[in-house]
Amino acid sequence: MHSLVQQEVRAFSRAKLRKQRTRVTTVTGRRLLERWEDARGHVVEAVEPRAAEAYGYVRDLSLDLQVGAVQPWLLLGSQDAAHDLDTLKKYKVTHILNVAYGVENAFLGDFTYKNVSILDLPETNVLSYFPECFEFIEEGRSKGGVVLVHCNAGVSRAAAVVVGFLMKSEGLTLTRALAEVKSARPAACPNSGFMDQLRGYQRAEDGQ
């Protein structure tokens, strides 16, 4: 049995890992693919299908402008909301934390921005980005502003950051912080790796 395991380990290669891609639409309308291969992140331009090629499914082209108010001054949303000026004005946004990869900031003259490029992969060390993200969120709050945290879909990366922030700043458990975030934005769902890291983060905060 031991030799069989050794053979499997030797036979394993990174090429057998599943390649992961995330579609991103920039503010200019350019479509990109966020691709992870060979332990490196790449951004390549996506090739749109020719008009004559039919889709085997119905594409959802609607904008996701739903913004979750986790706190009156702390919002969670997608890149669509971050690129819609009317939505930003509606929620009185002053600061925007962009934790997507390859998503441009739309209104540089109107808001205070911070970019922290995070790949939405279970193996990404999302905790390593918490200090600079939390510092920016606290800066916005201390100035009486309203902070929008967004990634591409507003589901995994941005949600993990906001959950972690609530755990750190409000002393909430992971369960309570996640419940508050999902109550504000039901689509929020950090990936499995981020959830494991958040559990470890709770243990660290508890001093265990």
Side-chain angles (χ1 to χ4, degrees):
M1 177 67 71
H2 181 67
S3 61
L4 178 60
V5 172
Q6 288 182 325
Q7 291 175 10
E8 291 178 349
V9 171
R10 284 195 295 268
F12 177 83
S13 69
R14 193 174 294 276
K16 292 182 179 180
L17 288 173
R18 179 185 175 190
K19 297 179 175 59
Q20 181 162 335
R21 298 184 177 188
T22 301
R23 184 178 297 276
V24 176
T25 302
T26 70
V27 65
T28 61
R30 185 179 181 221
R31 296 182 182 277
L32 306 174
L33 283 180
E34 177 182 305
R35 184 179 64 193
W36 179 264
E37 292 182 358
D38 301 328
R40 296 188 301 273
H42 307 275
V43 176
V44 295
E45 187 167 1
V47 179
E48 290 299 304
R50 294 186 297 271
E53 295 176 344
Y55 287 95
Y57 54 90
V58 177
R59 290 193 298 167
D60 182 5
L61 300 178
S62 60
L63 296 177
D64 177 9
L65 299 179
Q66 193 269 331
V67 173
V70 181
Q71 299 284 351
W73 52 270
L74 180 58
L75 312 176
L76 172 63
S78 70
Q79 65 167 334
D80 292 337
H83 289 170
D84 188 85
L85 189 56
D86 289 338
T87 297
L88 297 175
K89 289 182 176 179
K90 173 184 175 182
Y91 287 93
K92 298 180 172 56
V93 172
T94 59
H95 292 65
I96 298 178
L97 175 58
N98 177 356
V99 297
Y101 190 92
V103 175
E104 302 169 22
N105 299 323
F107 311 105
L108 294 176
D110 299 302
F111 306 97
T112 300
Y113 283 94
K114 183 171 182 64
N115 289 71
V116 181
S117 296
I118 303 175
L119 287 169
D120 188 17
L121 298 169
E123 58 266 36
T124 296
N125 182 5
V126 72
L127 301 187
S128 68
Y129 299 100
F130 279 6
E132 59 184 315
C133 290
F134 295 175
E135 182 180 3
F136 180 79
I137 294 172
E138 286 287 6
E139 175 188 333
R141 173 162 67 170
S142 68
K143 293 182 177 179
V146 175
V147 184
L148 170 67
V149 183
H150 82 89
C151 50
N152 183 359
V155 171
S156 180
R157 287 166 284 192
V161 169
V162 173
V163 168
F165 178 79
L166 292 179
M167 294 169 66
K168 178 69 174 179
S169 66
E170 307 296 329
L172 301 184
T173 63
L174 171 57
T175 300
R176 175 68 181 278
L178 183 61
E180 290 199 6
V181 169
K182 290 183 72 68
S183 176
R185 182 167 168 79
C189 185
N191 70 48
S192 60
F194 291 176
M195 286 300 300
D196 286 341
Q197 293 175 57
L198 286 167
R199 294 185 188 98
Y201 188 63
Q202 175 172 292
R203 290 193 292 272
E205 289 294 299
D206 291 341
Q208 299 179 9

